[in-house]
Amino acid sequence: MAQLNINLSKIEYNARVLQQMLTRKHIHLTPVLKSVASDQRVIERLNKVGLTHFADSRLNHLTPLRDTDNTFTLLRPSRASEYKALVETCKMSIQTELSVIRELNEIAASLGKKHQIMLMVDWKDGREGILTYDLTHFVKEILPLRHINLVGIAFNFMCFNSIAPTEDDVAMMTQVVDAVESDTGHHFRVISGGNSSMLPLLMYSDLERINELRIGETLFRGIDTTTNVGIASLYQDCITLEAEILEIQPRIYLETGDKYLQAIVDIGQLDTMVNELKPIAHQIEILGATSDQLMLDLKGQDFYQVGDTIHFSLGYSALSLCMFQDHLERNYEEDKGIEAVNRNFSVNACSGVRR
Ligand SMILES: *Cc1c(COP(=O)(O)O)cnc(C)c1O
């Protein structure tokens, strides 16, 4: 049966590399778990690296984790029917509507809680967010709310519009944050500068006031999301898909009359985004898919047999959709060699205090 192979050692390694990269610049790493549906085993593994605050866009992913020692930020504005569950489950959320924030304040009051929020500013992504010139007004309205703690400002890039952030953006973000702080007298504890698309900029420039990044895709796929190219120091294959050959038959291409050897495997459009699957280390071609089957041209290679498995790498949507499926088996793997490197990593990271 088709299954997901989740290599916890590789995920831990990627997390350690990213964490070290960010810590050197005094930036906090918040792993974004929506592409792995807040998988419990993945969270436990990230705990080993000292990561205990996570973000997801779906409340139902986080609800089962409510009573753990971890804390959560909800990334997406939630439905009115979810406000109570939101305050109960998440320490923090990203908000963009004053009416909602006022309601969350009432709910938090009735629960005897304080709820932390960050205001999302629409910079140039064109998805959610308030406009920069409304920020001061929002802050002034929110500060008197006794059960809302306005901890920061969040920015987002490349979720809807694929325009990468630049050094000019960083400079202007600083100006906006400084201006709002001096207008309102309120200090923002967190400046959440964006997602994986900020990482290339982090590598060669200073991110100024940004002290948090919300990282999903680069953590689990090891790629630079501004170019879609793998980052050499990270694993690109932390999570792969394995599907089983159900049938092998000779067929004929209708257009050309050419013969080919076709295999069918047990994954289809209902399971994932099939056009983002790529066979790993097989010289074969994906011909297409129906709801439950994927058709492959084996390129004449006659050593494949029914029952063999084919491994696929997953694009971001393919990964997110697969992890969303409860019926796909999850096979958690470890790798002894990488484990050894991971153990060594902690030593290296602390070498400054060794005597
Ligand atoms: C998905 C998401 C992220 C993470 O984005 P990646 O590109 O996967 O790092 C960060 N912030 C928000 C608001 C998101 O929706």
Side-chain angles (χ1 to χ4, degrees):
M1 216 180 71
Q3 68 174 28
L4 284 156
N5 293 322
I6 303 171
N7 191 312
L8 296 171
S9 311
K10 290 182 179 176
I11 291 174
E12 178 181 338
Y13 181 85
N14 279 6
R16 286 187 185 279
V17 171
L18 287 168
Q19 197 185 25
Q20 193 175 60
M21 222 164 92
L22 267 65
T23 305
R24 282 188 182 140
K25 304 233 171 171
H26 309 287
I27 293 175
H28 179 81
L29 167 66
T30 297
V32 175
L33 301 171
K34 63 188 180 206
S35 63
V36 295
S38 282
D39 181 281
Q40 181 101 41
R41 297 281 300 272
V42 170
I43 292 180
E44 284 165 12
R45 188 44 85 112
L46 295 172
N47 285 157
K48 269 186 76 178
V49 185
L51 296 163
T52 55
H53 184 76
F54 302 97
D56 198 320
S57 53
R58 297 199 175 218
L59 198 54
N60 63 320
H61 288 167
L62 298 174
T63 316
L65 307 166
R66 188 184 287 176
D67 298 321
T68 63
D69 289 335
N70 295 305
T71 55
F72 303 101
T73 292
L74 189 73
L75 293 172
R76 186 177 68 170
S78 38
R79 290 193 295 273
S81 59
E82 293 177 333
Y83 293 162
K84 184 157 174 271
L86 164 63
V87 175
E88 285 172 339
T89 309
C90 298
K91 180 174 160 190
M92 200 190 303
S93 60
I94 293 183
Q95 297 297 336
T96 58
E97 292 284 348
L98 274 178
S99 59
V100 175
I101 297 166
R102 289 197 185 100
E103 234 178 286
L104 290 174
N105 180 55
E106 305 268 302
I107 288 170
S110 72
L111 293 170
K113 289 186 168 230
K114 283 215 176 213
H115 184 65
Q116 303 188 352
I117 63 166
M118 288 197 280
L119 287 175
M120 176 68 88
V121 179
D122 177 29
W123 199 251
K124 58 185 187 184
D125 189 36
R127 196 175 69 176
E128 77 272 42
I130 58 184
L131 306 178
T132 44
Y133 56 76
D134 281 338
L135 254 178
T136 297
H137 169 66
F138 266 68
V139 174
K140 286 182 176 162
E141 292 289 314
I142 293 165
L143 287 179
L145 304 176
R146 303 242 343 259
H147 292 266
I148 296 290
N149 189 356
L150 177 57
V151 294
I153 302 283
F155 298 88
N156 203 32
F157 295 90
M158 298 194 79
C159 265
F160 185 49
N161 285 321
S162 43
I163 320 167
T166 65
E167 284 174 295
D168 288 344
D169 286 312
V170 174
M172 283 190 288
M173 283 153 70
T174 301
Q175 278 179 20
V176 167
V177 172
D178 288 348
V180 176
E181 284 189 343
S182 82
D183 282 355
T184 60
H186 181 68
H187 172 74
F188 296 112
R189 184 162 58 76
V190 183
I191 306 299
S192 187
N195 53 15
S196 295
S197 66
M198 260 292 167
L199 289 170
L201 214 50
L202 171 93
M203 293 182 202
Y204 68 86
S205 73
D206 179 28
L207 296 190
E208 304 188 14
R209 295 237 15 214
I210 294 171
N211 59 8
E212 189 209 35
L213 291 177
R214 310 176 304 272
I215 306 294
E217 185 164 4
T218 301
L219 173 59
F220 299 111
R221 296 192 61 239
I223 63 153
D224 172 345
T225 59
T226 65
T227 57
N228 246 334
V229 175
I231 297 174
S233 54
L234 299 174
Y235 287 104
Q236 280 79 51
D237 58 350
C238 296
I239 303 175
T240 58
L241 180 71
E242 180 180 327
E244 188 173 323
I245 298 182
L246 308 173
E247 179 199 287
I248 299 179
Q249 292 291 339
R251 305 221 179 271
I252 292 171
Y253 281 113
L254 293 179
E255 314 83 64
T256 59
D258 292 341
K259 294 202 186 75
Y260 70 103
L261 195 56
Q262 180 189 265
I264 290 181
V265 296
D266 62 338
I267 194 89
Q269 284 161 347
L270 291 177
D271 304 299
T272 190
M273 185 80 97
V274 285
N275 60 355
E276 288 191 357
L277 298 181
K278 279 207 195 82
I280 302 173
H282 300 278
Q283 305 303 313
I284 59 181
E285 187 189 331
I286 296 176
L287 296 170
T290 58
S291 49
D292 292 299
Q293 273 127 335
L294 189 70
M295 277 65 77
L296 306 166
D297 180 345
L298 293 178
K299 298 287 172 192
Q301 300 168 105
D302 58 7
F303 49 81
Y304 287 101
Q305 295 184 352
V306 169
D308 284 354
T309 54
I310 307 282
H311 291 80
F312 298 92
S313 69
L314 300 161
Y316 183 77
S317 303
L319 171 66
S320 310
L321 277 168
C322 280
M323 290 297 290
F324 209 66
Q325 312 284 355
D326 285 333
H327 67 270
L328 280 180
E329 201 88 17
R330 295 181 188 189
N331 170 42
Y332 298 92
E333 300 174 321
E334 290 196 343
D335 184 305
K336 283 217 170 68
I338 302 168
E339 286 301 313
V341 176
N342 283 340
R343 276 196 301 278
N344 225 14
F345 218 103
S346 351
V347 177
N348 288 339
C350 305
S351 59
V353 293
R354 249 188 328 184
R355 273 166 279 172

PDB file of all heavy atoms in Angstrom, residues 32 34 75 94 120 127-128 156 159 194-197 214-218 225 316, ligand 1:
ATOM      1  N   VAL A  32       6.660  26.045  11.003  1.00  0.00           N
ATOM      2  CA  VAL A  32       5.269  26.054  10.536  1.00  0.00           C
ATOM      3  C   VAL A  32       4.906  24.643  10.099  1.00  0.00           C
ATOM      4  O   VAL A  32       5.551  24.063   9.226  1.00  0.00           O
ATOM      5  CB  VAL A  32       5.093  27.056   9.376  1.00  0.00           C
ATOM      6  CG1 VAL A  32       3.684  26.988   8.810  1.00  0.00           C
ATOM      7  CG2 VAL A  32       5.390  28.469   9.863  1.00  0.00           C
ATOM      8  N   LYS A  34       1.947  23.311   8.918  1.00  0.00           N
ATOM      9  CA  LYS A  34       0.758  22.989   8.113  1.00  0.00           C
ATOM     10  C   LYS A  34       1.055  21.977   7.014  1.00  0.00           C
ATOM     11  O   LYS A  34       0.196  21.181   6.668  1.00  0.00           O
ATOM     12  CB  LYS A  34       0.106  24.247   7.559  1.00  0.00           C
ATOM     13  CG  LYS A  34       0.969  25.022   6.615  1.00  0.00           C
ATOM     14  CD  LYS A  34       0.302  26.355   6.270  1.00  0.00           C
ATOM     15  CE  LYS A  34       1.188  27.110   5.316  1.00  0.00           C
ATOM     16  NZ  LYS A  34       0.992  28.560   5.389  1.00  0.00           N
ATOM     17  N   LEU A  75      -2.041  30.710  12.377  1.00  0.00           N
ATOM     18  CA  LEU A  75      -1.602  31.640  11.332  1.00  0.00           C
ATOM     19  C   LEU A  75      -2.749  32.265  10.556  1.00  0.00           C
ATOM     20  O   LEU A  75      -2.619  33.337  10.005  1.00  0.00           O
ATOM     21  CB  LEU A  75      -0.718  30.899  10.329  1.00  0.00           C
ATOM     22  CG  LEU A  75       0.629  30.392  10.819  1.00  0.00           C
ATOM     23  CD1 LEU A  75       1.265  29.519   9.752  1.00  0.00           C
ATOM     24  CD2 LEU A  75       1.520  31.565  11.154  1.00  0.00           C
ATOM     25  N   ILE A  94      -2.470  35.270  14.705  1.00  0.00           N
ATOM     26  CA  ILE A  94      -2.227  36.418  13.831  1.00  0.00           C
ATOM     27  C   ILE A  94      -3.582  36.967  13.423  1.00  0.00           C
ATOM     28  O   ILE A  94      -4.439  36.216  12.951  1.00  0.00           O
ATOM     29  CB  ILE A  94      -1.387  35.987  12.608  1.00  0.00           C
ATOM     30  CG1 ILE A  94       0.022  35.603  13.087  1.00  0.00           C
ATOM     31  CG2 ILE A  94      -1.321  37.102  11.579  1.00  0.00           C
ATOM     32  CD1 ILE A  94       0.978  35.215  11.977  1.00  0.00           C
ATOM     33  N   MET A 120      -1.028  41.127  11.357  1.00  0.00           N
ATOM     34  CA  MET A 120      -0.420  40.848  10.047  1.00  0.00           C
ATOM     35  C   MET A 120      -0.543  42.096   9.179  1.00  0.00           C
ATOM     36  O   MET A 120      -1.621  42.663   9.036  1.00  0.00           O
ATOM     37  CB  MET A 120      -1.125  39.671   9.372  1.00  0.00           C
ATOM     38  CG  MET A 120      -0.625  39.368   7.978  1.00  0.00           C
ATOM     39  SD  MET A 120       1.061  38.735   7.944  1.00  0.00           S
ATOM     40  CE  MET A 120       0.760  36.987   8.129  1.00  0.00           C
ATOM     41  N   ARG A 127      -2.217  38.799   0.162  1.00  0.00           N
ATOM     42  CA  ARG A 127      -3.160  37.869   0.779  1.00  0.00           C
ATOM     43  C   ARG A 127      -3.734  38.604   1.984  1.00  0.00           C
ATOM     44  O   ARG A 127      -4.220  39.719   1.825  1.00  0.00           O
ATOM     45  CB  ARG A 127      -2.469  36.542   1.125  1.00  0.00           C
ATOM     46  CG  ARG A 127      -3.481  35.426   1.395  1.00  0.00           C
ATOM     47  CD  ARG A 127      -2.829  34.069   1.626  1.00  0.00           C
ATOM     48  NE  ARG A 127      -2.095  34.019   2.886  1.00  0.00           N
ATOM     49  CZ  ARG A 127      -1.494  32.929   3.352  1.00  0.00           C
ATOM     50  NH1 ARG A 127      -1.568  31.797   2.665  1.00  0.00           N
ATOM     51  NH2 ARG A 127      -0.830  32.949   4.482  1.00  0.00           N
ATOM     52  N   GLU A 128      -3.636  38.021   3.207  1.00  0.00           N
ATOM     53  CA  GLU A 128      -4.258  38.717   4.320  1.00  0.00           C
ATOM     54  C   GLU A 128      -3.381  39.842   4.849  1.00  0.00           C
ATOM     55  O   GLU A 128      -2.184  39.871   4.584  1.00  0.00           O
ATOM     56  CB  GLU A 128      -4.583  37.716   5.443  1.00  0.00           C
ATOM     57  CG  GLU A 128      -3.386  37.284   6.288  1.00  0.00           C
ATOM     58  CD  GLU A 128      -2.645  36.088   5.716  1.00  0.00           C
ATOM     59  OE1 GLU A 128      -2.451  36.036   4.475  1.00  0.00           O
ATOM     60  OE2 GLU A 128      -2.250  35.217   6.494  1.00  0.00           O
ATOM     61  N   ASN A 156       4.392  38.941   5.614  1.00  0.00           N
ATOM     62  CA  ASN A 156       4.335  37.695   4.846  1.00  0.00           C
ATOM     63  C   ASN A 156       4.727  37.947   3.394  1.00  0.00           C
ATOM     64  O   ASN A 156       4.464  39.007   2.846  1.00  0.00           O
ATOM     65  CB  ASN A 156       2.919  37.115   4.906  1.00  0.00           C
ATOM     66  CG  ASN A 156       2.918  35.632   4.645  1.00  0.00           C
ATOM     67  OD1 ASN A 156       3.866  34.938   4.977  1.00  0.00           O
ATOM     68  ND2 ASN A 156       1.856  35.135   4.030  1.00  0.00           N
ATOM     69  N   CYS A 159       3.234  33.979  -0.554  1.00  0.00           N
ATOM     70  CA  CYS A 159       2.215  32.956  -0.394  1.00  0.00           C
ATOM     71  C   CYS A 159       1.243  33.055  -1.561  1.00  0.00           C
ATOM     72  O   CYS A 159       0.840  32.067  -2.143  1.00  0.00           O
ATOM     73  CB  CYS A 159       1.470  33.124   0.931  1.00  0.00           C
ATOM     74  SG  CYS A 159       2.174  32.104   2.237  1.00  0.00           S
ATOM     75  N   GLY A 194       8.520  37.022   8.291  1.00  0.00           N
ATOM     76  CA  GLY A 194       8.067  36.327   7.099  1.00  0.00           C
ATOM     77  C   GLY A 194       8.296  34.836   7.173  1.00  0.00           C
ATOM     78  O   GLY A 194       8.511  34.273   8.258  1.00  0.00           O
ATOM     79  N   ASN A 195       8.284  34.207   6.003  1.00  0.00           N
ATOM     80  CA  ASN A 195       8.354  32.747   5.929  1.00  0.00           C
ATOM     81  C   ASN A 195       9.684  32.313   5.310  1.00  0.00           C
ATOM     82  O   ASN A 195      10.662  33.062   5.322  1.00  0.00           O
ATOM     83  CB  ASN A 195       7.151  32.225   5.142  1.00  0.00           C
ATOM     84  CG  ASN A 195       7.020  32.908   3.785  1.00  0.00           C
ATOM     85  OD1 ASN A 195       7.941  33.552   3.295  1.00  0.00           O
ATOM     86  ND2 ASN A 195       5.866  32.764   3.183  1.00  0.00           N
ATOM     87  N   SER A 196       9.691  31.128   4.738  1.00  0.00           N
ATOM     88  CA  SER A 196      10.933  30.593   4.157  1.00  0.00           C
ATOM     89  C   SER A 196      11.573  31.532   3.141  1.00  0.00           C
ATOM     90  O   SER A 196      12.792  31.514   2.957  1.00  0.00           O
ATOM     91  CB  SER A 196      10.654  29.247   3.467  1.00  0.00           C
ATOM     92  OG  SER A 196      10.268  28.278   4.394  1.00  0.00           O
ATOM     93  N   SER A 197      10.778  32.348   2.463  1.00  0.00           N
ATOM     94  CA  SER A 197      11.335  33.195   1.399  1.00  0.00           C
ATOM     95  C   SER A 197      12.272  34.283   1.941  1.00  0.00           C
ATOM     96  O   SER A 197      12.952  34.955   1.173  1.00  0.00           O
ATOM     97  CB  SER A 197      10.212  33.833   0.575  1.00  0.00           C
ATOM     98  OG  SER A 197       9.472  34.743   1.361  1.00  0.00           O
ATOM     99  N   ARG A 214       8.928  32.465  10.448  1.00  0.00           N
ATOM    100  CA  ARG A 214       8.014  31.306  10.494  1.00  0.00           C
ATOM    101  C   ARG A 214       8.371  30.409   9.299  1.00  0.00           C
ATOM    102  O   ARG A 214       8.082  30.747   8.158  1.00  0.00           O
ATOM    103  CB  ARG A 214       6.563  31.790  10.393  1.00  0.00           C
ATOM    104  CG  ARG A 214       6.238  32.926  11.373  1.00  0.00           C
ATOM    105  CD  ARG A 214       4.815  33.444  11.183  1.00  0.00           C
ATOM    106  NE  ARG A 214       4.534  33.873   9.828  1.00  0.00           N
ATOM    107  CZ  ARG A 214       4.763  35.094   9.356  1.00  0.00           C
ATOM    108  NH1 ARG A 214       5.270  36.037  10.126  1.00  0.00           N
ATOM    109  NH2 ARG A 214       4.484  35.391   8.103  1.00  0.00           N
ATOM    110  N   ILE A 215       9.007  29.283   9.593  1.00  0.00           N
ATOM    111  CA  ILE A 215       9.599  28.490   8.517  1.00  0.00           C
ATOM    112  C   ILE A 215       8.910  27.136   8.366  1.00  0.00           C
ATOM    113  O   ILE A 215       8.900  26.322   9.291  1.00  0.00           O
ATOM    114  CB  ILE A 215      11.105  28.253   8.783  1.00  0.00           C
ATOM    115  CG1 ILE A 215      11.839  29.572   9.016  1.00  0.00           C
ATOM    116  CG2 ILE A 215      11.735  27.458   7.635  1.00  0.00           C
ATOM    117  CD1 ILE A 215      11.896  30.489   7.823  1.00  0.00           C
ATOM    118  N   GLY A 216       8.337  26.897   7.182  1.00  0.00           N
ATOM    119  CA  GLY A 216       7.707  25.614   6.899  1.00  0.00           C
ATOM    120  C   GLY A 216       8.429  24.875   5.790  1.00  0.00           C
ATOM    121  O   GLY A 216       9.177  23.920   6.005  1.00  0.00           O
ATOM    122  N   GLU A 217       8.254  25.364   4.572  1.00  0.00           N
ATOM    123  CA  GLU A 217       8.725  24.628   3.398  1.00  0.00           C
ATOM    124  C   GLU A 217      10.225  24.338   3.425  1.00  0.00           C
ATOM    125  O   GLU A 217      10.645  23.218   3.117  1.00  0.00           O
ATOM    126  CB  GLU A 217       8.347  25.392   2.121  1.00  0.00           C
ATOM    127  CG  GLU A 217       8.713  24.600   0.867  1.00  0.00           C
ATOM    128  CD  GLU A 217       8.026  25.102  -0.391  1.00  0.00           C
ATOM    129  OE1 GLU A 217       7.318  26.114  -0.347  1.00  0.00           O
ATOM    130  OE2 GLU A 217       8.220  24.437  -1.437  1.00  0.00           O
ATOM    131  N   THR A 218      11.055  25.296   3.790  1.00  0.00           N
ATOM    132  CA  THR A 218      12.499  25.052   3.771  1.00  0.00           C
ATOM    133  C   THR A 218      12.896  24.025   4.825  1.00  0.00           C
ATOM    134  O   THR A 218      13.819  23.235   4.616  1.00  0.00           O
ATOM    135  CB  THR A 218      13.289  26.363   3.952  1.00  0.00           C
ATOM    136  OG1 THR A 218      12.926  27.255   2.892  1.00  0.00           O
ATOM    137  CG2 THR A 218      14.792  26.131   3.899  1.00  0.00           C
ATOM    138  N   THR A 225      12.801  28.814  -1.385  1.00  0.00           N
ATOM    139  CA  THR A 225      11.476  28.940  -2.010  1.00  0.00           C
ATOM    140  C   THR A 225      11.416  30.099  -3.012  1.00  0.00           C
ATOM    141  O   THR A 225      10.442  30.213  -3.751  1.00  0.00           O
ATOM    142  CB  THR A 225      10.368  29.147  -0.956  1.00  0.00           C
ATOM    143  OG1 THR A 225      10.650  30.337  -0.201  1.00  0.00           O
ATOM    144  CG2 THR A 225      10.280  27.957  -0.021  1.00  0.00           C
ATOM    145  N   TYR A 316       5.509  20.927  -2.665  1.00  0.00           N
ATOM    146  CA  TYR A 316       4.910  21.431  -1.424  1.00  0.00           C
ATOM    147  C   TYR A 316       3.435  21.042  -1.286  1.00  0.00           C
ATOM    148  O   TYR A 316       3.003  20.555  -0.242  1.00  0.00           O
ATOM    149  CB  TYR A 316       5.049  22.960  -1.359  1.00  0.00           C
ATOM    150  CG  TYR A 316       4.518  23.540  -0.078  1.00  0.00           C
ATOM    151  CD1 TYR A 316       5.238  23.449   1.103  1.00  0.00           C
ATOM    152  CD2 TYR A 316       3.270  24.167  -0.035  1.00  0.00           C
ATOM    153  CE1 TYR A 316       4.747  23.963   2.291  1.00  0.00           C
ATOM    154  CE2 TYR A 316       2.774  24.687   1.143  1.00  0.00           C
ATOM    155  CZ  TYR A 316       3.514  24.582   2.302  1.00  0.00           C
ATOM    156  OH  TYR A 316       3.018  25.089   3.480  1.00  0.00           O
TER     157      TYR A 316
HETATM  158  C1  LIG B   1       2.381  28.981   5.400  1.00  0.00           C
HETATM  159  C2  LIG B   1       2.755  30.178   6.134  1.00  0.00           C
HETATM  160  C3  LIG B   1       4.082  30.341   6.575  1.00  0.00           C
HETATM  161  C4  LIG B   1       5.190  29.371   6.228  1.00  0.00           C
HETATM  162  O1  LIG B   1       5.543  29.523   4.887  1.00  0.00           O
HETATM  163  P1  LIG B   1       6.745  28.656   4.220  1.00  0.00           P
HETATM  164  O2  LIG B   1       6.934  29.263   2.893  1.00  0.00           O
HETATM  165  O3  LIG B   1       6.254  27.246   4.187  1.00  0.00           O
HETATM  166  O4  LIG B   1       7.917  28.820   5.120  1.00  0.00           O
HETATM  167  C5  LIG B   1       4.376  31.479   7.318  1.00  0.00           C
HETATM  168  N1  LIG B   1       3.427  32.390   7.609  1.00  0.00           N
HETATM  169  C6  LIG B   1       2.144  32.267   7.205  1.00  0.00           C
HETATM  170  C7  LIG B   1       1.157  33.310   7.564  1.00  0.00           C
HETATM  171  C8  LIG B   1       1.757  31.156   6.448  1.00  0.00           C
HETATM  172  O5  LIG B   1       0.493  31.040   6.042  1.00  0.00           O
END
